[in-house]
């Protein structure tokens, strides 16, 4: 018996272990559609688009408490509705409380504005809805939408009726769906534009937004399309981006980028290396979103974005699958995309190609109000304009202003708290919603940003002429990077930090030297770096920003050296 056991032991020792089968990633074309988590379950049980009928016929009549959890914290997002944070809950409790404890009986409502294109009538309607149903709140987001707060479920049907009467909607403004399509705010009017992409944005919106066949994606899918050489749609951080180029043989078309995204695992988009003809835009968009639907990872929510698939596949395989399985034809090889030649935020007064002007206005960190929107619509119309645009930088533009109306418009907008000539701090600071309304946030963002801007304008008055043309501060209330933290000169990621005295207070981890394509950084995108241990309490933020800016001015190699270039190479003692 002993001998037999020894032989068995030897055999077992030399036998190669049977490889464990890898867990399925929930890729529909490979693993099937069986749900592997709770989010996938509720999406398969009932399409998120179907919740609209229940909101109108049941919940709006029976009240907040009648809404079941799968609809309240899941499907209602398909119609632009998130429960907002209960007031008075500090950031230290964000991760400790249940959704039921964190949420108030009110909603954030996101109005979808594809391409940022609005009429003055639409602006007025949004403003009136804000005044009547949302306590006069309105924030312009860095994805060209407008968000309202304090919305009650009882008012949702009437809000939708008013929005849809003027051609607006909240359809798929949130959720695991094709989100709003970013577009150049100066499409159709800018003299330097290579091509007006509005027709393609409208075609995609009309054909596919609200299509049940595309309303159950692994997670959100972000699109950007621009024909402007300023690259004004932050193309590096979208799931799919099309940026106009002029091919020496094929004429004007688009460079094609995929797999960008930030959050806790930042990744800049990759150039697929193809040239997309204008007539191919909708095909390419549809093929790409279907690849995401069919091959995207669904098992783990934190890996369910397009960027993880592209990271594993590479753009060569992506192109092969797109052409062979979804398009049925080959795309032409692409060309190198030229660097942008001017700023893409469009703030200021600029001539249009038709002889009129567009006026780019700066609402500080996107914070505005319904009252301001109504008055802005009136001012625009008095100046002869019927068109307004929002931007991916939380700005708002008035188009089609004749020369003789510029001065009156500028005077009027200053009285509204807007400006076409902001300081670099007011112009280049972005802030997410923050703890004021967001259930994920840990710190305040909007008020913190506004206070910092006011103080920096005063403290750095003595070096105002030395400050760089472009310097941005992006402030985020949590690690999710809605305010593009990792792509800022100084990005601030909200968290609870421990002071030297051992006290836990709201503060930020600091990211330094991030960039996206712009005319000062030669079109290069770069994720900012962090310095070990560099965290700043909210109360000390302005001191830190002033200190590091003065160090930059004192030690930069040339006056042309940007802050981002300086920060990426500066000794760490200069950055703290």
């Amino acid at each position: 018996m002993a001998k037999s056991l020894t032989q068995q032991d030897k055999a077992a020792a030399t036998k190669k272990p049977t490889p464990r089968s890898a867990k399925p990633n929930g890729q529909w074309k490979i693993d099937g559609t069986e749900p592997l988590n709770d989010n996938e379950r509720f999406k398969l049980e009932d399409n998120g688009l179907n919740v609209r009928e229940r909101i109108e016929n049941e919940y709006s009549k029976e009240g907040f408490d009648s809404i079941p959890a799968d609809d309240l914290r899941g499907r209602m997002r398909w119609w632009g509705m998130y429960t907002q944070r209960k007031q008075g809950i500090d950031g230290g409790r964000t991760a400790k409380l249940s959704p039921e404890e964190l949420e108030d009986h009110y909603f954030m409502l996101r109005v979808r504005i594809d391409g940022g294109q609005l009429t003055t009538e639409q602006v007025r309607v949004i403003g009136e809805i804000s005044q009547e149903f949302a306590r006069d709140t309105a924030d312009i987001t860095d994805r060209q939408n407008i968000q309202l707060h304090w919305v009650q479920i009882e008012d949702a049907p009437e809000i939708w009726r008013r929005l849809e009467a003027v051609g607006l909607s909240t359809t798929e403004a949130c959720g695991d769906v094709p989100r709003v399509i970013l577009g150049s705010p100066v499409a159709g009017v800018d003299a330097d534009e290579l091509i007006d992409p509005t027709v393609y944005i409208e075609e995609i919106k009309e054909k596919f937004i609200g299509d049940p066949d595309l309303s159950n994606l692994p997670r959100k899918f972000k699109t950007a399309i621009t024909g402007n050489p300023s690259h004004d749609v932050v193309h590096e951080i979208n799931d799919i981006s099309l940026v106009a180029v002029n091919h020496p043989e094929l004429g004007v078309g688009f460079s094609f980028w995929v797999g960008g995204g930030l959050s806790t695992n930042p990744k800049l988009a990759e150039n697929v290396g193809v040239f997309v003809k204008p007539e191919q835009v909708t095909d390419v968009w549809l093929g790409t979103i279907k690849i995401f639907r069919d091959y995207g990872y669904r098992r783990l929510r934190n890996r369910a974005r397009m960027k993880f698939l592209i990271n594993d596949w590479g753009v060569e395989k992506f192109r092969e699958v797109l052409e062979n399985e979804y398009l049925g034809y080959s795309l032409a090889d692409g060309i190198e995309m030229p660097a942008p030649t001017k700023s893409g935020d469009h703030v200021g007064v600029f001539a249009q190609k038709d002889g009129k002007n567009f006026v780019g206005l700066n609402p500080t960190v996107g914070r505005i109000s319904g009252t301001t929107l109504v008055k802005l619509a009136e001012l625009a119309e008095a100046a002869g304009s019927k068109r307004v645009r929002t931007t991916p930088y939380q700005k708002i533009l008035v188009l089609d202003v004749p020369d003789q109306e510029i001065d009156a418009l500028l005077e009027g907008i200053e009285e509204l708290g807007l400006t076409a000539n902001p300081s670099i701090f007011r112009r280049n600071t972005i802030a997410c919603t923050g703890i004021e309304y967001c259930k994920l946030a840990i710190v305040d963002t909007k008020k913190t940003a506004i206070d910092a801007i006011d103080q920096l304008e005063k403290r750095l008055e003595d070096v105002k002429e030395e400050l760089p043309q472009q310097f941005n501060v992006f402030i985020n209330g949590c690690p999710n990077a809605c305010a593009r933290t990792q792509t800022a000169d100084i990005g601030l990621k909200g968290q609870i930090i421990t002071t030297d005295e051992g006290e836990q207070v709201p503060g930020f981890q600091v990211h330094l030297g991030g960039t996206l394509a712009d005319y000062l950084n030669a079109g290069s995108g770069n994720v900012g770096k962090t310095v070990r241990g560099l965290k700043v309490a909210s109360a000390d933020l302005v001191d830190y920003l002033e200190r590091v800016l003065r160090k930059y001015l004192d030690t930069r190699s040339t006056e042309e050296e940007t802050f981002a270039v300086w920060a990426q190479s500066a000794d760490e003692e200069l950055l703290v």
Side-chain angles (χ1 to χ4, degrees), residues 252-428:
V252 174
F254 296 90
S255 180
F256 178 26
W257 300 70
V258 293
L262 296 176
S263 191
T264 54
N265 289 285
K267 183 181 184 299
L268 299 184
E270 296 185 47
N271 192 333
V272 180
V274 300
F275 177 81
V276 178
K277 298 175 183 178
E279 62 268 23
Q280 296 170 333
V281 166
T282 301
D283 285 351
V284 167
W285 181 89
L286 183 60
T288 302
I289 197 171
K290 284 185 174 180
I291 286 176
F292 182 49
R293 179 196 65 191
D294 298 342
Y295 287 105
Y297 304 146
R298 292 174 181 261
R299 181 170 67 89
L300 299 175
R301 291 284 288 177
N302 61 2
R303 278 181 52 81
R305 291 294 303 277
M306 186 78 171
K307 62 185 176 182
F308 293 101
L309 183 66
I310 297 300
N311 189 64
D312 291 346
W313 275 12
V315 291
E316 294 81 8
K317 179 177 178 179
F318 168 80
R319 177 180 180 178
E320 179 184 344
V321 172
L322 176 66
E323 292 177 338
N324 294 338
E325 294 187 30
Y326 292 88
L327 293 181
Y329 59 82
S330 297
L331 299 166
D333 289 338
I335 61 172
E336 185 176 349
M337 193 167 71
T341 56
K342 60 182 181 180
S343 172
D345 72 357
H346 305 301
V347 171
V349 180
F350 301 92
Q352 297 178 179
K353 58 187 176 184
D354 63 359
K356 295 181 180 180
N357 304 276
F358 66 85
V359 181
L361 308 176
N362 188 93
T364 305
V365 294
R367 177 53 51 92
I368 205 164
S369 69
T371 299
T372 299
L373 288 172
V374 171
K375 291 181 179 178
L376 178 63
E378 293 171 353
L379 285 171
E381 290 171 352
S385 171
K386 294 286 188 180
R387 296 194 292 172
V388 172
R389 301 276 173 87
T390 54
T391 86
Y393 294 90
Q394 297 182 333
K395 316 302 182 195
I396 192 163
L397 279 57
V398 178
L399 307 188
D400 307 327
V401 182
D403 290 345
Q404 64 271 22
E405 300 293 342
I406 293 291
D407 289 344
L409 177 63
L410 292 177
E411 182 179 348
I413 62 101
E414 289 285 346
E415 294 175 4
L416 294 182
L418 306 175
T419 179
N421 186 32
S423 70
I424 65 161
F425 305 114
R426 200 165 295 276
R427 177 172 182 166
N428 297 319

Side-chain angles (χ1 to χ4, degrees), residues 42 44 99 111 138 187 204 222 274 282 294 313 354 439 523 564:
F42 83 70
L44 273 181
V111 181
I204 293 169
K222 295 182 176 181
V274 300
T282 301
D294 298 342
W313 275 12
D354 63 359
K439 294 178 295 184

Side-chain angles (χ1 to χ4, degrees), residues 192-203:
D192 297 325
E193 182 177 60
L194 294 174
I195 188 172
D196 182 353
T198 301
V199 62
Y200 315 116
I201 294 173
E202 286 297 316
E203 182 177 17

